[in-house]
Amino acid sequence: MRTIYIFILLLVVLSCCNEQHISKELRLLQLHPIILPQDDLIVFNSDSIINSEENKLKYIIYSDSLACTSCMINNLVSWNSLIEYGKNFNKEIGFYFIFSPERKYLRSINMLIQHSEFKHQIIVDEKKYFEKLNPYLPKDHLLHTFLLDENNRVILVGNPLHNKKIKEMFYKIVEEKLGKPGEVAVKED
């Protein structure tokens, strides 16, 4: 099933990118589980550090030092509807916004976050641990938004806010893995 989603994603993304380059980066991304850093992070809008153990699905939204971090921070409120949808699943879906700005922009990025209307957890990784723990991350920032399964394996790549097909696949994956919104999940002992 995972291969089907990645294949569909390839068809969607290839229309605007170099096929061979994207294909290689996606294969590398698929081969390794994503490791989320735990230490030396600045966390906004939360009392705790990353607690991904309780999430069966994790949407990672990553911005490295090459991306326009301030642009992404200003547009974070666009994620609110998906985050609200995720709340229907009793913390089984986590959204992780990880920013690794250049050190010289760190203060201004922190100020932007503090004054943002976005009230979900934001992680500032000033020491670039996320990148160090995951050296196979694609260089292409269009591939820095992805959904992980319960084993932290990439099952969907792309931003559902910018692509209707990615959004549809996101909802389909969530329903396949967790059921429909509002259904009470039965935990096995």
Side-chain angles (χ1 to χ4, degrees):
M1 186 62 91
R2 189 170 98 179
T3 307
I4 292 170
Y5 293 125
I6 297 298
F7 177 73
I8 293 170
L9 171 75
L10 277 172
L11 294 176
V12 171
V13 174
L14 291 179
S15 63
C16 64
C17 301
N18 179 319
E19 179 178 341
Q20 195 172 27
H21 172 72
I22 295 296
S23 179
K24 180 181 175 185
E25 287 192 330
L26 285 174
R27 274 195 310 272
L28 283 173
L29 191 60
Q30 263 190 294
L31 289 175
H32 308 281
I34 298 296
I35 301 169
L36 297 171
Q38 298 295 318
D39 300 317
D40 285 335
L41 302 170
I42 301 167
V43 181
F44 291 90
N45 303 329
S46 178
D47 295 333
S48 62
I49 203 68
I50 296 174
N51 184 8
S52 62
E53 298 301 317
E54 63 187 19
N55 307 130
K56 286 187 181 176
L57 299 174
K58 299 155 206 80
Y59 225 121
I60 306 295
I61 300 87
Y62 172 62
S63 175
D64 64 11
S65 59
L66 300 177
C68 177
T69 303
S70 61
C71 301
M72 287 186 71
I73 291 169
N74 289 329
N75 290 311
L76 284 176
V77 293
S78 302
W79 283 91
N80 283 343
S81 64
L82 283 179
I83 292 169
E84 286 302 313
Y85 170 78
K87 288 179 181 178
N88 292 312
F89 297 95
N90 300 324
K91 297 185 179 183
E92 291 192 32
I93 303 174
F95 290 84
Y96 297 91
F97 299 87
I98 304 170
F99 296 101
S100 294
E102 285 186 46
R103 194 169 287 270
K104 65 183 177 181
Y105 298 121
L106 193 56
R107 183 179 170 150
S108 61
I109 295 301
N110 289 346
M111 294 285 288
L112 268 173
I113 292 170
Q114 288 174 351
H115 292 93
S116 169
E117 293 181 28
F118 187 70
K119 301 304 176 206
H120 189 73
Q121 181 183 55
I122 299 172
I123 299 143
V124 177
D125 179 15
E126 65 179 322
K127 296 184 180 168
K128 310 214 181 300
Y129 289 125
F130 185 71
E131 196 172 310
K132 290 173 187 170
L133 291 169
N134 302 289
Y136 41 82
L137 285 171
K139 300 298 179 212
D140 188 331
H141 74 277
L142 294 175
L143 304 176
H144 285 180
T145 304
F146 41 84
L147 182 66
L148 306 178
D149 67 11
E150 58 277 358
N151 299 311
N152 286 351
R153 297 265 183 197
V154 174
I155 55 175
L156 179 66
V157 179
N159 188 330
L161 302 178
H162 299 145
N163 188 305
K164 184 179 176 182
K165 289 183 182 182
I166 298 295
K167 191 172 193 174
E168 289 169 1
M169 285 190 285
F170 167 71
Y171 288 129
K172 183 176 180 179
I173 291 169
V174 168
E175 289 186 12
E176 285 175 1
K177 298 247 181 214
L178 305 176
K180 296 200 183 278
E183 288 181 354
V184 179
V186 177
K187 304 275 185 189
E188 294 181 19
D189 293 331

